[in-house]
Amino acid sequence: MTITDRDAQDQAPVFDQLVSLLDAGNASFRVLEHPAEGQSEAVARIRGTRPEQGAKAMLCVVKGAAPAPVLAVLPGPARLDFRKLGEAIGAKKATLADPALAQELTGCVMGAVPPFALSPGIRLIADPALFSSNLEIAFNAGRLDRSIVLAVDDYLRIARPQVADITRGD
C-alpha cells in the first residue's frame, strides 16, 4: 500500500492534532516514521513492537434508536465482537462503518485512524486486553506512514475510553 503526497497532506491535520494533544497532556510517547502500512501484523514488524501492543481502531455505527458512531479499540491481532460492542453501549449490535463515513468522521483513511475520539459525537471504547500486558501501545497516528508509541497510563488518562470486553473469544 502506498500513500500519495495528497493523502499525506490530508492526514497531516489529524497527526498534528494528536501530537499537540499528547504534548499538552505531558504524555510519554515517541513518533516513528516508516513506510506506509495499514495492516496490523505488518506495521508491528516495521515498528519493532509486538502485534498485541498495536491499538487497532475501528469506526463502527451502533444500531438502535439513534445510530451513533463509536470507535472500538482493540489489540492488533484481536477480532471485534460487534454484539459485545453494541451491548457495551446499550444497543443490540454495531456494524463496521462504511470507509467513506469513517474517513469523513475521523479525517483518516482506514488503517490510519488513531485510538482517540478526536471528533465530537464519537464514543470511544477500548478492550482491556490492550492494557493487560502492555506498558506501551503503538498505533498509526492519523497517517499510514507515522506511528506513535505511547505509555498505556498516558493513553488511559488522556483518551479516557470506556473500557469493556469487545473482542471475540475465538
Side-chain angles (χ1 to χ4, degrees):
M1 180 178 293
T2 61
I3 189 168
T4 66
D5 289 338
R6 177 148 178 92
D7 289 338
Q9 288 173 346
D10 290 346
Q11 296 170 1
V14 173
F15 174 77
D16 294 341
Q17 184 181 5
L18 189 56
V19 169
S20 293
L21 176 68
L22 296 175
D23 280 339
N26 295 312
S28 176
F29 72 99
R30 62 190 180 279
V31 175
L32 305 174
E33 294 184 28
H34 53 75
E37 180 57 61
Q39 298 297 314
S40 299
E41 296 285 329
V43 78
R45 283 191 301 276
I46 292 168
R47 291 180 189 135
T49 58
R50 292 179 296 104
E52 296 79 18
Q53 286 179 272
K56 177 169 58 179
M58 302 170 68
L59 190 73
C60 299
V61 177
V62 175
K63 302 290 185 181
V70 59
L71 190 62
V73 181
L74 52 154
R79 294 181 52 183
L80 181 61
D81 185 317
F82 291 99
R83 182 191 51 78
K84 284 182 179 179
L85 178 61
E87 289 174 357
I89 59 171
K92 279 190 171 184
K93 187 179 175 185
T95 59
L96 196 59
D98 174 85
L101 177 62
Q103 187 165 356
E104 177 186 329
L105 294 177
T106 66
C108 303
V109 297
M110 295 294 262
V113 178
F116 288 81
L118 298 175
S119 299
I122 297 177
R123 283 184 72 167
L124 180 63
I125 299 181
D127 193 277
L130 183 61
F131 316 119
S132 63
S133 62
N134 295 315
L135 297 177
E136 295 180 318
I137 59 171
F139 52 90
N140 280 349
R143 300 174 56 148
L144 293 173
D145 63 350
R146 298 286 187 283
S147 290
I148 288 180
V149 179
L150 172 66
V152 165
D153 291 343
D154 288 333
Y155 173 73
L156 292 170
R157 178 176 53 82
I158 295 168
R160 299 173 35 170
Q162 173 184 341
V163 177
D165 175 12
I166 55 172
T167 57
R168 291 177 55 167
D170 52 19

